[in-house]
């Protein structure tokens, strides 16, 4: 799209329309000390060849792209085939707008319908929406939906929920009711899994929902069936959040274990972990009329036209429901459509068998790495509960930050220093493994850990 600047005549007409005489007057609300004084300090312009050379020099300063990475913590590097990347370059995917007019948007609607089907099958719940911004906002929307459904305000969050997701929930509820005071955190158990007993004690008649990670932020897979039973006995809903849906290729689905609403981060299914985004959120819930009326975003349904030909439409929601103040549901639309399309393409190419095989490789390689690290002097696996492809390592010397800096000098991103999240975990490292890691990559990390002086 070309940039079309306003002409001086247009600027003058707009100022006149709002009763101002100059742009300076328009910006009068900005304190003078906050304004830039004089021209910006910019380097002189470059010709095209010089600019390209300059950009290449800047790009070469970024070493991370060429480093061996075991960083996860909510963003995971699975294989994304070039074929899907090429298909996404087609102009109709870039230009497709929110498909309110089914007569001209059947392609977009079908893609979204397929996306919803994939999400429903992975999360094990019959109703899935047409994508959210990311896993964090999907969780926040689920919490708001639970509050609307139950008429209650309080949310109980397991300590294994991703801290960034918790921060997003805090932001969403900040101006509603008692705000952050409506959120209760319950620490994980000593094994790293959700503390079922503590969560059960935290549920009362004011609790709208309980949120647990499945697997959780520490990579641990806990028993959510018992949490679901405790929630339902007291009229609360269970919300599960899954950082990497590949885990659900091997685990029982959240829906099968009693979750009322399940959300996940869809980035691992079809988007590279590029500079923190864009991502795509997955959201599914029970098939209940009350739930359908409260689902955020859009729902695409399958129907037939007057000739009996199959077609797709937005259904069970009106455009106006997004502007009903406190009774409104969120409108997540065009900007997430391309990301949902990427996930749909990738998953269709992978297929069910490919999905399960990739997950098996993740699990097997992570278990191999866990065994090898546990054999090293000065290292331990402090959380004994089962994990999928991510796990916590207690490091030699007690300073995970120092270790990650030392290994970075060897071209290895060893994982996430958990001391950045919680100072009490400064001796712990969160390590993630995917199917992209080879045996040599895993052994290289083990060798580097063994050589770390601590």
């Amino acid at each position: 799209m070309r940039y079309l600047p306003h002409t001086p005549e247009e600027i003058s007409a707009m100022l006149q329309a709002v009763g101002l005489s100059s742009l300076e007057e328009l910006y009068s609300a900005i304190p003078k000390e906050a304004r830039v004084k004089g021209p910006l300090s910019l380097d002189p312009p470059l010709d095209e060849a010089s600019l390209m050379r300059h950009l290449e020099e800047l790009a070469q300063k970024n070493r991370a792209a060429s480093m061996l990475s075991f960083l996860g913590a909510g963003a995971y590097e699975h294989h994304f085939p070039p074929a899907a990347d090429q298909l996404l370059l087609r102009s109709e995917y870039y230009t497709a707008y929110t498909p309110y007019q089914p007569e001209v948007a059947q392609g977009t609607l079908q893609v979204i319908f397929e996306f919803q089907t994939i999400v429903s099958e992975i999360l094990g719940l019959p109703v899935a929406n047409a994508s959210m911004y990311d896993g964090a906002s999907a969780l926040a929307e689920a919490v708001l939906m639970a509050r609307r459904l139950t008429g209650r305000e309080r949310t109980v969050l397991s300590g294994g929920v991703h801290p960034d997701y918790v921060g997003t929930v805090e932001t969403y509820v900040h101006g509603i009711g008692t705000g952050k005071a409506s959120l209760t955190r319950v620490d994980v158990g000593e094994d790293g899994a959700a503390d079922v007993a503590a969560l059960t004690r935290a549920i009362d008649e004011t609790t709208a929902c309980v949120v647990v990670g499945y697997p959780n932020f520490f990579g641990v897979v806990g028993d959510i069936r018992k949490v679901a039973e405790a929630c339902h006995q007291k009229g609360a809903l269970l919300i599960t959040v899954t950082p990497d849906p590949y885990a659900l290729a091997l685990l029982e689905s959240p829906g099968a274990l009693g979750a009322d609403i399940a959300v996940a981060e869809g980035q691992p299914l079809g988007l590279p972990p590029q500079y923190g985004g864009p991502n795509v959120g997955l959201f599914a819930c029970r098939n209940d009329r009350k739930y359908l009326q409260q689902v955020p975003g859009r729902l695409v349904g399958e129907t037939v036209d007057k000739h009996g030909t199959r077609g797709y439409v937005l259904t069970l929601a009106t455009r106006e429901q997004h502007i009903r103040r406190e009774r409104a549901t969120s409108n997540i639309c065009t900007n997430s459509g391309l990301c949902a399309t990427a996930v749909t393409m990738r998953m269709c190419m992978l297929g069910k068998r490919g999905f399960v095989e990739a997950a098996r490789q993740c699990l097997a390689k992570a278990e191999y790495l866990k065994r090898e690290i546990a054999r090293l002097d000065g290292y331990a696996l402090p959380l004994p509960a089962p994990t999928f492809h991510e796990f916590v390592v207690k490091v030699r010397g007690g300073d995970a930050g120092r270790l990650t800096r030392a290994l970075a000098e060897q071209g290895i991103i060893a994982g996430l220093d958990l001391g950045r999240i919680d100072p009490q975990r400064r001796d712990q490292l969160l390590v993630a493994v995917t199917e992209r890691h080879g045996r040599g990559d895993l052994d290289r990390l083990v060798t580097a850990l063994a050589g770390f002086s601590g």
Side-chain angles (χ1 to χ4, degrees):
M1 180 181 295
R2 291 185 299 136
Y3 173 61
L4 303 175
H6 297 300
T7 66
E9 292 77 15
E10 289 171 333
I11 294 174
S12 178
M14 287 188 286
L15 288 171
Q16 185 177 1
V18 296
L20 299 176
S21 59
S22 67
L23 286 175
E24 181 68 23
E25 189 177 352
L26 180 65
Y27 303 140
S28 61
I30 302 175
K32 290 185 177 181
E33 62 272 16
R35 303 185 201 179
V36 175
K37 299 176 179 63
L40 294 174
S41 178
L42 299 175
D43 292 331
L46 299 174
D47 59 67
E48 183 178 14
S50 299
L51 178 59
M52 291 177 67
R53 183 168 59 252
H54 175 61
L55 292 175
E56 289 172 356
E57 291 170 353
L58 292 177
Q60 289 172 2
K61 293 182 179 181
N62 183 1
R63 298 174 52 234
S66 61
M67 296 173 74
L68 172 60
S69 176
F70 294 89
L71 189 62
Y76 305 94
E77 189 171 6
H78 294 278
H79 177 62
F80 186 65
D85 205 23
Q86 284 299 309
L87 285 172
L88 281 174
L89 293 175
R90 292 182 63 93
S91 61
E92 55 265 41
Y93 291 127
Y94 278 122
T95 58
Y97 182 60
T98 306
Y100 288 124
Q101 296 175 277
E103 64 273 18
V104 294
Q106 281 300 295
T108 301
L109 287 163
Q110 181 177 348
V111 167
I112 294 174
F113 184 83
E114 300 289 353
F115 170 82
Q116 291 175 178
T117 303
I118 291 168
V119 173
S120 176
E121 291 181 352
I122 290 175
L123 298 180
L125 288 162
V127 177
N129 73 2
S131 90
M132 316 296 291
Y133 294 121
D134 52 24
S137 59
L139 174 59
E141 292 287 358
V143 168
L144 295 184
M145 179 174 164
R147 290 165 62 123
R148 294 192 299 267
L149 286 168
T150 62
R152 300 175 177 182
E153 185 174 315
R154 189 161 158 267
T155 296
V156 177
L157 295 139
S158 168
V161 176
H162 196 301
D164 290 347
Y165 289 30
V166 174
T168 302
V169 173
E170 290 177 344
T171 300
Y172 270 60
V173 305
H174 178 76
I176 305 174
T178 56
K180 291 183 181 180
S182 65
L183 305 178
T184 300
R185 298 290 302 276
V186 175
D187 290 338
V188 295
E190 292 184 0
D191 63 351
D195 189 330
V196 177
L199 289 171
T200 301
R201 289 193 299 269
I203 305 170
D204 60 22
E205 67 280 357
T206 69
T207 304
C209 57
V210 174
V211 181
V212 295
Y214 182 67
N216 68 19
F217 176 65
F218 304 110
V220 169
V221 180
D223 185 354
I224 66 170
R225 195 190 302 272
K226 292 181 180 179
V227 182
E229 292 171 356
C231 289
H232 298 155
Q233 287 174 2
K234 298 185 181 181
L237 306 183
L238 173 62
I239 300 173
T240 63
V241 54
T242 301
D244 188 344
Y246 273 91
L248 302 182
L250 303 180
L251 300 174
E252 276 198 90
S253 69
L257 296 176
D260 300 288
I261 305 172
V263 301
E265 173 56 67
Q267 173 272 319
L269 300 183
L271 298 167
Q274 48 199 359
Y275 304 106
N279 289 9
V280 56
L282 313 184
F283 186 109
C285 66
R286 289 162 45 186
N287 187 12
D288 184 291
R289 183 173 180 179
K290 293 189 302 180
Y291 282 68
L292 287 170
Q293 293 172 336
Q294 296 297 335
V295 171
R298 301 166 296 170
L299 292 168
V300 175
E302 184 181 82
T303 185
V304 294
D305 64 15
K306 64 180 182 180
H307 303 295
T309 303
R310 181 173 59 180
Y312 303 92
V313 294
L314 293 181
T315 188
L316 296 170
T318 64
R319 295 180 70 170
E320 290 73 23
Q321 80 174 53
H322 306 300
I323 57 173
R324 291 177 176 171
R325 296 183 181 272
E326 69 277 2
R327 293 187 294 115
T329 56
S330 296
N331 182 20
I332 313 298
C333 52
T334 310
N335 50 359
S336 290
L338 185 65
C339 298
T341 301
V343 168
T344 305
M345 289 178 177
R346 168 65 179 123
M347 292 303 291
C348 288
M349 290 179 180
L350 190 63
K352 183 176 180 179
R353 285 189 298 177
F355 186 44
V356 172
E357 177 57 29
R360 285 176 174 163
Q361 288 192 33
C362 289
L363 175 61
K365 292 176 180 181
E367 290 299 308
Y368 169 81
L369 185 59
K370 285 168 67 175
R371 289 193 301 269
E372 295 301 306
I373 292 177
R375 292 172 179 163
L376 299 177
D377 291 337
Y379 293 90
L381 304 176
L383 307 180
T387 61
F388 171 54
H389 74 343
E390 196 163 22
F391 55 92
V392 175
V393 175
K394 188 173 182 180
V395 306
R396 177 189 296 165
D399 189 343
R402 185 165 173 266
L403 181 146
T404 56
R405 290 189 294 272
L407 266 63
E409 293 300 317
Q410 302 177 42
I412 301 174
I413 302 175
L416 175 67
D417 166 19
L418 287 177
R420 297 173 57 184
I421 306 297
D422 180 356
Q424 294 184 356
R425 294 185 180 272
R426 65 186 301 270
D427 62 342
Q428 296 178 11
L429 184 71
L430 185 63
V431 179
V433 180
T434 73
E435 79 283 0
R436 292 187 57 139
H437 290 102
R439 175 75 171 266
D441 298 327
L442 306 180
D443 291 341
R444 181 181 169 194
L445 175 62
V446 172
T447 299
L449 292 174
F452 175 64
S453 63

